[in-house]
Every structure is written in C-alpha cells, then in structure tokens.
Amino acid sequence: LEAVNKERVGVIWASGIGGLGTLEKEVEEHVLGSGVPKHNPFLIPKMISDIAAGLISIQYGFRGINYCTVSACASSSHALM
C-alpha cells in the first residue's frame, strides 16, 4: 500500500440492508421488557451501512470517495458501476 496514492483511493461498500440484528434486539427488549421505550443511543449508528466503508477507509488511510450503496439485491452491481 505504500506505492498507492491514498488521496486517490476510495471505498465503495455494498449492502442489501444494515443492522437487522441490532433492530431485532431493540424490538425484542422493548416488547419483552417493561414496555417503556429505552432504546440504545447507538441504535442508529449501529444500523448505518456506510459505517463499514468509513472503517475500511480509516484502517487503511484511504482518503478518496467513500460511500455505500444500499439497494437490496442490486447493491453489488451498483457498487461496481
């Protein structure tokens, strides 16, 4: 990676949907718990699919374009375009 211009390398991640396990856990705790809506403050950040692209960019120091396509079954095709 030393020979790569990290200013020109970006990450495009593709996902059908993000964070379903997190959402399921929150709903289960709400339904089976006291019924008082006490949601984890990290619920939304845990569900954002673009976090994967951001973490990859941070880990490798890539500073180019960074985004995530979330379009169900077509996500991988959209990420390649």
Side-chain angles (χ1 to χ4, degrees):
L1 290 176
E2 290 78 31
V4 174
N5 180 355
K6 293 182 181 180
E7 297 289 328
R8 297 185 49 85
V9 177
V11 177
I12 302 172
W13 188 260
S15 175
I17 193 167
L20 283 182
T22 301
L23 180 61
E24 180 181 16
K25 182 179 175 184
E26 289 291 321
V27 170
E28 182 178 304
E29 288 176 7
H30 176 71
V31 171
L32 299 178
S34 66
V36 178
K38 298 179 191 174
H39 299 295
N40 184 327
F42 298 109
L43 172 63
I44 300 302
K46 284 180 169 182
M47 293 185 65
I48 298 172
S49 299
D50 191 35
I51 292 217
L55 290 174
I56 293 167
S57 295
I58 290 168
Q59 181 175 353
Y60 294 103
F62 299 147
R63 299 182 54 91
I65 193 168
N66 183 302
Y67 68 91
C68 177
T69 61
V70 182
S71 46
C73 297
S75 289
S76 59
S77 296
H78 290 154
L80 293 173
M81 293 181 164

